């Protein structure tokens, strides 16, 4: 059910999961309960209006805990910056705005 690997982070790997979702699969060194914690925190900030993908499910994928999220289609901020360096200032300001909203 997992599709191609899309991204790798410090605590997880993100895979395509069907046509409109992603699976964020925890790596082995991360405690299993973290998937539920991350889902809960994501739902909490989303309920406050922070623009984060919706949580669809917390499940097990290939023997590892995973959070299933709506997939956001489009280039990452980094890809946008590389493609158009004149957008860096605007994108950094947007990233700062989102980070402030998360921490508020």
């Amino acid at each position: 059910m997992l599709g191609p690997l899309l991204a790798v982070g410090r605590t997880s790997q993100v895979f395509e999961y069907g046509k409109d979702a992603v699976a964020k699969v925890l790596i082995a060194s991360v405690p299993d309960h973290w998937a539920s914690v991350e889902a809960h925190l994501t739902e909490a900030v989303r309920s406050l209006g922070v623009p984060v993908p919706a949580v669809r499910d917390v499940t097990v994928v290939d023997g590892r805990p995973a959070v299933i999220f709506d997939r956001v289609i489009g280039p990452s901020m980094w890809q946008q910056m590389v493609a158009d360096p004149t957008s860096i200032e605007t994108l950094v300001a947007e990233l700062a705005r989102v980070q402030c909203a998360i921490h508020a």
Side-chain angles (χ1 to χ4, degrees):
M1 199 164 191
L2 286 182
L5 178 67
L6 301 173
V8 177
R10 184 178 53 81
T11 62
S12 61
Q13 297 176 313
V14 179
F15 296 87
E16 188 175 276
Y17 194 77
K19 292 183 179 185
D20 60 354
V22 296
K24 187 172 184 181
V25 181
L26 300 182
I27 61 173
S29 62
V30 176
D32 290 355
H33 75 280
W34 181 251
S36 294
V37 172
E38 182 166 353
H40 175 76
L41 293 172
T42 301
E43 290 171 338
V45 298
R46 184 176 171 79
S47 74
L48 296 172
V50 177
V52 297
V55 173
R56 292 189 179 185
D57 195 11
V58 177
T59 188
V60 175
V61 174
D62 290 344
R64 293 298 308 147
V67 183
I68 309 303
F69 291 99
D70 281 351
R71 184 171 184 181
V72 177
I73 303 296
S76 68
M77 281 188 164
W78 176 251
Q79 290 167 324
Q80 292 176 59
M81 289 178 192
V82 169
D84 178 14
T86 65
S87 70
I88 292 173
E89 187 175 334
T90 300
L91 292 169
V92 168
E94 175 66 13
L95 179 60
R97 186 190 68 72
V98 170
Q99 289 295 315
C100 287
I102 289 169
H103 292 286

